[in-house]
Amino acid sequence: DASASTFVLAPLPYATGASLLLVGTVVLIAAIDPVLGLITLVSLAAVVVIDVAGSWRTFLGFQAAQEQRGVVASLAHESFDGALTVKSLGREDHEVSRMRGEAGALRDRLIDVGTVWATFRAIVEAVPPMTTVVLVVVGALRLGATTTDAVLAAYRGRIAHERDTFRQALDGQRARLDAIREKVASDFNF
């Protein structure tokens, strides 16, 4: 069907537009002031590097969690298959402690994944506002005495806005991390 065959192209317009906006922004800022353009380029590169590194760390954490999930599932199947034998041999406590230990390890891995994800997302979301502040400060220093009170007031307002945006992003990541912890704790009854 035509819809399914073109589905792979769905993200292309957004990705192309976002990429062109980023490149255009760097070019525009570099045309205004090469030093500010370099700061912008370094900032964008930092966001990409942090995002890729954080994604890989998260992926590796999920991979370990999936492996641990397999261990827990195999223990559960052992318990289902040999429940009568375990009960008749009086090994219930041993099997319960094995399951509790492996389930606890799974819980810890899932919490670690959530912590890594929330941490690196907060950092990625903090870089653009911090870059804006750096650009404003460096730009103001480069302008020197020609900076007026009105321009400084506008900068102060922009910095306050970026600070608030960063706080909201950080609070959002904290809320996600708390939700992950609560969900995992409730799923494992810990």
Side-chain angles (χ1 to χ4, degrees), residues 52-68 109-110 112-113 116-117 120:
V52 169
S55 296
W56 273 107
R57 285 195 60 203
T58 303
F59 169 77
L60 294 174
F62 268 126
Q63 186 178 16
Q66 284 299 98
E67 290 169 2
Q68 187 64 32
R109 287 185 187 208
L110 290 172
D112 289 344
V113 167
V116 167
W117 178 258
F120 104 84

Side-chain angles (χ1 to χ4, degrees), residues 28-112:
L28 184 62
I29 293 174
I32 294 170
D33 187 343
V35 173
L36 298 180
L38 181 63
I39 292 170
T40 305
L41 185 62
V42 168
S43 166
L44 289 175
V47 167
V48 169
V49 167
I50 293 167
D51 201 17
V52 169
S55 296
W56 273 107
R57 285 195 60 203
T58 303
F59 169 77
L60 294 174
F62 268 126
Q63 186 178 16
Q66 284 299 98
E67 290 169 2
Q68 187 64 32
R69 193 177 307 244
V71 170
V72 171
S74 68
L75 275 177
H77 285 289
E78 284 177 19
S79 297
F80 298 150
D81 294 340
L84 193 55
T85 306
V86 168
K87 190 167 184 136
S88 65
L89 293 174
R91 305 268 305 160
E92 297 167 44
D93 293 337
H94 174 71
E95 289 300 313
V96 167
S97 68
R98 273 183 60 201
M99 180 60 91
R100 186 168 283 138
E102 295 298 337
L106 176 58
R107 178 202 64 216
D108 293 343
R109 287 185 187 208
L110 290 172
I111 288 173
D112 289 344

